[in-house]
Amino acid sequence: MRALLTVYDKRGIDAFARGLAELGWELVSTGGTYEALRAAGLRVQKVEDVTGFPEMLDGRVKTLHPRIHAGILARRDRLAHLEALDRHGIATIDLVACNLYPFVATVTQPNVPFDEAIEQIDIGGPTLLRAAAKNHRDVIVVCDPDDYEPVLDALRRGGADEALRRRLAWKAFAHVSAYDSAVAEWLWPGDGFPPAFTIPLELAQPLRYGENPHQRAAFYRDRSLAATGKGGIAHAVQHHGKEMSYNNFLDADAAWNAVNEFPAPTCVIVKHTNPCGVASRADLAEAYRLAVAADPVSAFGGIVAFNRPVDERLAREIREFRSPLDGETRMFYEIVVAPGYTPEGLAVLKGKSRDLRILEAPQLARGGRSLRQVGGGWLVQDADDLGPDDVAWRVVTERAPTDEERRDLAFAWRCVKHLKSNAITVAKEERLLGMGSGQPNRVKSVEIALEKAGTAARGAVLASDAFFPFAWNDAVEKACQAGITAIIQPGGSLRDQDAIDCCNKYGVAMVFTGVRHFRH
């Protein structure tokens, strides 16, 4: 039996080769792998001694030779294949251990020269893996150092069975596929969307079930170049609590993306992916209390997110805070997520509940993409990264907003961006007072938001994720009559002038952004 060993990642290769040699296998190797095995005291043959042809073109051509690939691809159950090998003096290769040049690690570094990146595109390695995986009934293919010991165990017990061989073949094709998708992504020259693309996904963890108990589910991480190093909830570290569920990931993602929308220290509380409490304060403990107060009923059982590290004082506030509704019920949460925790803060927070999931997450970088599945296809779009500082506001009413109203309009606009459409937020002094979301008509979202805000709506501001189709005796006038003093919206309705006239009648300031924030 003969094994071809040619790896870039040399973790464990000497122990694997030694195990094969002890089982009587002949070893063939290339370049750096050959030198590593020789240094380990192993008897190994150079691949050029097999091919009769030297490595050439700075190592671009090593194993691309019939004496290698015929030895891998020949079917042992076909006499014609074996006779062809015999005629040409070619011996079979029964195991291939190969992993690939670090292309992704290279091209994700800053300012990598094109020629340097090109040289990290592996040719011989994928060819070996594909050949061995295709002929896996006769050839064991190993692309992951974690599989070295299981393979040796199988060989010591008499050989690799069909199930192991097929699993290793699947793994090799998946490895090559992900590698090739990264190369294709990197080579795409356009700024738009390519005519075809592949996203490599890596299983992060199986989940107990999906949105509902009868649905199977799993969580995968995006390994595309576009997502590499960009942060996000997929890269959170869980410090404590029960394992994450499907719905936990959705809610945690919504909370984390929302809280990082705000430049000031902020707390966001999310329920069913909708922010139900938001407040910005220099004192995060105060921000937390105000966020809960926006809707204590919805906050109970929700996800709490902070955009600053959690220290001991804040952790104690989270652990001990009672519901504003009765002053007695201790608030319960599924998840707390923050960019970091002091050791004391983490210890205190762990004491709240053995089930509380405590996540530490890197912020999701701007400039990403968004994908959603529809029946038989996918929708791809740029991420909605625009905030109030990225667009020009246009005051369209006789009265311009005050500095305080401008501050609160920006806050309300950041909030409304993360609600399900039709979305309305009412805010004052950088705290959310009420929100209406997911309604089929905008006026109902306004009514819900005003109802939640109650008498606090008087003197507050209102944000809408899209334009108002009607104004008189509708959403805009209802907001004005409730005491709203300033409104921010995209504009663009055929009846924009009605909205402007209505605001002017009530002395309300209105700002158009020209940017819509639908979220379906």
Side-chain angles (χ1 to χ4, degrees):
M1 305 296 280
R2 194 163 61 148
L4 173 59
L5 313 176
T6 173
V7 295
Y8 184 89
D9 179 358
K10 295 178 176 55
R11 289 180 297 124
I13 191 62
D14 53 345
F16 184 53
R18 191 177 306 281
L20 292 173
E22 290 171 353
L23 292 169
W25 286 64
E26 297 177 23
L27 306 179
V28 178
S29 192
T30 64
T33 308
Y34 171 84
E35 296 298 336
L37 297 182
R38 288 277 293 176
L42 292 166
R43 182 178 180 182
V44 58
Q45 186 178 20
K46 284 186 177 181
V47 74
E48 52 260 48
D49 293 336
V50 174
T51 63
F53 208 88
E55 292 185 15
M56 61 184 299
L57 306 181
D58 300 320
R60 283 190 170 199
V61 179
K62 300 176 185 176
T63 58
L64 298 171
H65 194 281
R67 288 190 175 276
I68 298 298
H69 285 277
I72 295 171
L73 286 166
R75 288 184 56 167
R76 281 47 160 183
D77 62 348
R78 290 196 176 178
L79 181 60
H81 283 201
L82 298 178
E83 289 174 343
L85 294 184
D86 187 59
R87 283 196 305 272
H88 295 284
I90 298 173
T92 60
I93 294 174
D94 308 290
L95 182 149
V96 172
C98 177
N99 53 61
L100 310 179
Y101 295 164
F103 177 78
V104 172
T106 299
V107 300
T108 51
Q109 296 299 313
N111 304 317
V112 175
F114 182 84
D115 287 345
E116 180 181 338
I118 282 289
E119 291 308 316
Q120 294 302 317
I121 299 177
D122 203 325
I123 302 301
T127 308
L128 288 174
L129 291 176
R130 290 174 62 85
K134 176 175 180 175
N135 203 28
H136 65 272
R137 287 181 175 173
D138 297 312
V139 182
I140 300 169
V141 58
V142 189
C143 65
D144 183 352
D146 289 343
D147 289 320
Y148 291 162
E149 195 56 39
V151 168
L152 285 176
D153 286 344
L155 294 176
R156 290 171 184 137
R157 287 184 278 106
D161 61 18
E162 174 66 18
L164 176 59
R165 289 171 177 269
R166 185 161 182 170
R167 184 181 68 80
L168 293 171
W170 161 81
K171 200 169 191 177
F173 275 115
H175 184 54
V176 172
S177 175
Y179 190 89
D180 287 344
S181 72
V183 175
E185 182 181 357
W186 178 73
L187 285 171
W188 167 244
D191 292 329
F193 300 112
F197 70 99
T198 303
I199 298 176
L201 301 177
E202 180 181 72
L203 180 65
Q205 66 185 82
L207 303 176
R208 287 178 296 163
Y209 51 81
E211 278 189 287
N212 302 291
H214 63 277
Q215 296 172 273
R216 295 184 301 167
F219 173 56
Y220 288 80
R221 288 194 183 93
D222 186 342
R223 291 304 188 191
S224 65
L225 297 183
T228 299
K230 297 299 177 59
I233 207 68
H235 300 281
V237 174
Q238 183 170 351
H239 291 294
H240 181 73
K242 293 171 61 177
E243 66 181 47
M244 293 282 284
S245 72
Y246 183 98
N247 292 329
N248 287 156
F249 275 111
L250 291 176
D251 287 336
D253 183 59
W256 188 234
N257 292 340
V259 79
N260 283 294
E261 190 77 38
F262 297 85
T266 300
C267 173
V268 170
I269 302 176
V270 158
K271 192 72 166 289
H272 297 305
T273 72
N274 280 302
C276 59
V278 186
S280 295
R281 289 292 186 277
D283 180 359
L284 267 181
E286 182 185 1
Y288 163 68
R289 290 190 293 269
L290 292 173
V292 175
D295 188 349
V297 174
S298 298
F300 194 89
I303 284 76
V304 183
F306 299 95
N307 62 358
R308 300 289 193 277
V310 174
D311 60 15
E312 182 178 5
R313 176 171 171 268
L314 178 55
R316 290 193 182 281
E317 190 71 24
I318 298 167
R319 190 179 74 176
E320 302 299 335
F321 189 68
R322 265 46 176 184
S323 171
L325 297 176
D326 60 14
E328 296 181 0
T329 303
R330 183 176 293 180
M331 294 299 294
F332 161 75
Y333 304 114
E334 292 278 352
I335 301 169
V336 174
V337 55
Y341 301 84
T342 66
E344 299 81 6
L346 186 59
V348 169
L349 207 51
K350 287 180 177 180
K352 181 172 176 63
S353 165
R354 67 180 182 181
D355 294 335
L356 176 66
R357 301 163 181 87
I358 302 174
L359 305 183
E360 181 176 335
Q363 182 176 345
L364 182 65
R366 297 180 65 168
R369 64 187 174 195
S370 170
L371 293 93
R372 291 187 66 178
Q373 191 172 14
V374 296
W378 292 83
L379 294 167
V380 184
Q381 65 175 352
D382 295 329
D384 184 3
D385 286 334
L386 291 180
D389 298 329
D390 301 314
V391 299
W393 293 15
R394 183 163 63 96
V395 178
V396 295
T397 48
E398 295 170 357
R399 184 176 79 80
T402 66
D403 290 344
E404 290 78 11
E405 287 171 335
R406 279 184 171 273
R407 177 200 64 193
D408 286 339
L409 287 170
F411 176 88
W413 202 52
R414 287 186 169 100
C415 292
V416 82
K417 173 182 172 181
H418 292 273
L419 293 171
K420 298 291 185 182
S421 300
N422 289 303
I424 298 292
T425 54
V426 174
K428 186 177 182 180
E429 297 175 347
E430 293 187 289
R431 60 176 290 201
L432 182 66
L433 300 175
M435 48 76 77
S437 66
Q439 300 304 306
N441 65 78
R442 193 157 299 278
V443 66
K444 179 55 67 175
S445 289
V446 169
E447 291 171 351
I448 293 171
L450 292 173
E451 178 187 352
K452 286 179 176 291
T455 57
R458 189 160 300 278
V461 306
L462 180 146
S464 176
D465 67 335
F467 65 64
F468 294 100
F470 302 99
W472 299 108
N473 197 33
D474 205 275
V476 176
E477 189 167 25
K478 286 178 182 291
C480 294
Q481 290 172 340
I484 294 295
T485 62
I487 296 173
I488 187 168
Q489 60 136 322
S493 168
L494 293 174
R495 298 179 180 84
D496 274 349
Q497 191 58 49
D498 286 352
I500 295 168
D501 293 343
C502 182
C503 286
N504 284 334
K505 174 185 174 181
Y506 288 93
V508 172
M510 180 176 281
V511 173
F512 284 1
T513 65
V515 173
R516 189 180 72 186
H517 279 311
F518 268 170
R519 181 175 291 267
H520 284 78

